[in-house]
Amino acid sequence: MNGDLTTNPSLLLKIRDHRDHESWTLFVNLYAPPIYRFLKRQGLQDADAADLAQEVFTAVALWIDRLRYDPQRGMFRGWLFAIIRHKLYNHINRLQPPDLGSGDPVIQQRLEDEPEPEPAVPEDRVWDEEYEMCVLHWAADKVRTDFRDRTWQAFWQTSVEGRPADDVATELSMTTGAVWVAKCRVLKKLRDEIQFVEDFPRA
Amino acid sequence: MSPLHDCPDLSRWRELLAGNTLPAAQKVLEDHLNSCPRCAAVLETLAMGPGSPKLPLERLRTPVAPVEPALERVIQDVSRKR
C-alpha cells in the first residue's frame, strides 16, 4: 500500500524525480494500456500504435515538470489526451498524400454518391472509456485485498451491480447500515488510490 | 427516517470512514443508517469526496483485455528508459 495517501505526494509529482524508477514503472504500467488501446481504436496498426505510445511517454517525461494544477484546463486525463491527440494528428499528417484528384467528373460523381459513413464514437469519449477502464481496474485490484470478502461483496453488489442495499444486506446476512458502511469504506479507498495517480502536482 | 437532530455529525462519519471508530460506536452508526437514507447519502458523498465526479464503477463489470505483445513491448521499453 501507499501508506497515508493524504500525505503521500501524487504519482505525477513523484515521476518528476528521474531516480524514482518505481513510480515511473507504475506510471507506464498504468497509462500505457489506455494510450495504446485508444490509438488502436483510431485505426492504427499494432506497430504504429506502439511507436506512437512510446512518443507520448517521451513527451510526458519532457513536459511533466511543467505540469501544474489549473482548474481551467481540467484533469490530468485531459492533459495526457492533448499530448496523445497531438502525436496522432502528426502521424496522420505524415501519412496523408497530397490532395490531388484525378479530375475525372465520373469519379467525382461516384464519390459524391457514396453514403455518409456512420458517425464514429467521438475520440474524447473513446479516450475516457479506455482511461477509466484502466484506472478503475488498477485501483480495484489494489484495494481488493485490503477488505474482507463480505465487505467487498457489499461494495460490488451495490456500487457496481447497482442493487439496493436492503437486498444485498439480506443476501449477505448483514444489516442495511453495515452494507452502507462497507460500501463507503471501499469507495473511499478507491477514490484515494485514484487521486494518488491522477492528482496534479501542487508543489 | 430519523429526525435530523438525531443524526450524527459529519466528524463521526469521517472517523468511521477513516477506520477510527470503535466497534460499539460503529454499531450505533450502522443502526442509524438502517433507517436514515439522508445520512447514508452523506456518508457516500464523504467517501467519494465532496464535489468529486461520480466514478463510473459499472465499467468494473467489463474485464480488462489481456496485454497484447506490442503493448507489452511498449511497457518494457518505456519502463527501461528512465
Side-chain angles (χ1 to χ4, degrees):
Chain A
M1 282 304 300
N2 294 308
D4 182 2
L5 291 166
T6 56
T7 57
N8 213 6
S10 80
L11 181 65
L12 303 181
L13 188 60
K14 284 170 151 232
I15 62 167
R16 287 177 173 182
D17 181 353
H18 289 226
R19 293 160 301 178
D20 191 343
H21 295 283
E22 195 183 333
S23 294
W24 179 250
T25 301
L26 168 59
F27 181 82
V28 173
N29 274 278
L30 184 59
Y31 290 114
I35 294 170
Y36 175 83
R37 290 184 183 134
F38 168 80
L39 293 168
K40 287 276 294 173
R41 284 177 69 180
Q42 300 307 305
L44 268 61
Q45 300 293 318
D46 292 6
D48 288 338
D51 287 349
L52 236 56
Q54 295 222 20
E55 284 185 30
V56 169
F57 281 105
T58 305
V60 168
L62 202 64
W63 294 334
I64 194 70
D65 286 348
R66 284 175 244 168
L67 177 63
R68 294 283 184 281
Y69 175 68
D70 178 357
Q72 299 295 316
R73 301 186 67 183
M75 296 185 291
F76 170 68
R77 78 166 73 172
W79 184 84
L80 185 56
F81 185 47
I83 294 176
I84 298 165
R85 211 156 47 171
H86 176 73
K87 295 289 175 193
L88 178 63
Y89 289 163
N90 280 351
H91 173 79
I92 291 168
N93 285 337
R94 281 199 299 266
L95 294 179
Q96 244 163 19
D99 186 17
L100 295 175
S102 67
D104 185 333
V106 177
I107 292 175
Q108 180 64 31
Q109 188 57 51
R110 271 194 201 154
L111 286 171
E112 284 173 11
D113 291 344
E114 283 285 316
E116 285 287 315
E118 288 288 314
V121 180
E123 57 181 21
D124 55 345
R125 227 172 73 200
V126 174
W127 169 243
D128 278 348
E129 278 173 24
E130 294 296 344
Y131 180 94
E132 285 165 356
M133 270 292 282
C134 289
V135 171
L136 277 171
H137 274 279
W138 171 81
D141 287 349
K142 196 157 194 304
V143 307
R144 171 73 183 87
T145 51
D146 293 344
F147 295 100
R148 280 186 275 187
D149 192 53
R150 204 161 65 147
T151 304
W152 183 259
Q153 281 305 319
F155 154 75
W156 188 274
Q157 294 298 327
T158 51
S159 295
V160 179
E161 301 294 345
R163 295 177 59 203
D166 290 343
D167 293 358
V168 176
T170 306
E171 190 175 293
L172 298 176
S173 306
M174 298 166 81
T175 63
T176 303
V179 167
W180 273 103
V181 171
K183 165 190 170 166
C184 290
R185 278 195 171 148
V186 176
L187 269 179
K188 183 178 185 309
K189 199 93 176 169
L190 269 179
R191 168 59 71 193
D192 285 347
E193 291 295 345
I194 291 171
Q195 211 171 331
F196 167 70
V197 295
E198 65 177 15
D199 244 15
F200 277 100
R202 291 169 195 253
Chain B
M1 176 100 167
S2 300
L4 288 182
H5 61 267
D6 282 346
C7 292
D9 61 33
L10 284 179
S11 62
R12 291 185 66 194
W13 296 123
R14 284 201 185 97
E15 282 172 9
L16 178 69
L17 285 176
N20 296 334
T21 306
L22 294 172
Q26 178 170 330
K27 175 79 171 56
V28 171
L29 293 172
E30 287 176 0
D31 287 346
H32 180 79
L33 288 172
N34 283 335
S35 57
C36 185
R38 178 184 169 274
C39 281
V42 166
L43 184 63
E44 190 172 21
T45 304
L46 287 175
M48 292 296 293
S52 297
K54 197 173 179 300
L55 292 174
L57 293 167
E58 67 284 353
R59 292 208 194 286
L60 288 172
R61 275 186 237 151
T62 312
V64 181
V67 174
E68 306 89 326
L71 173 56
E72 184 62 50
R73 277 196 298 278
V74 172
I75 293 171
Q76 283 174 6
D77 289 352
V78 179
S79 296
R80 268 201 300 266
K81 280 184 184 165
R82 230 25 211 298

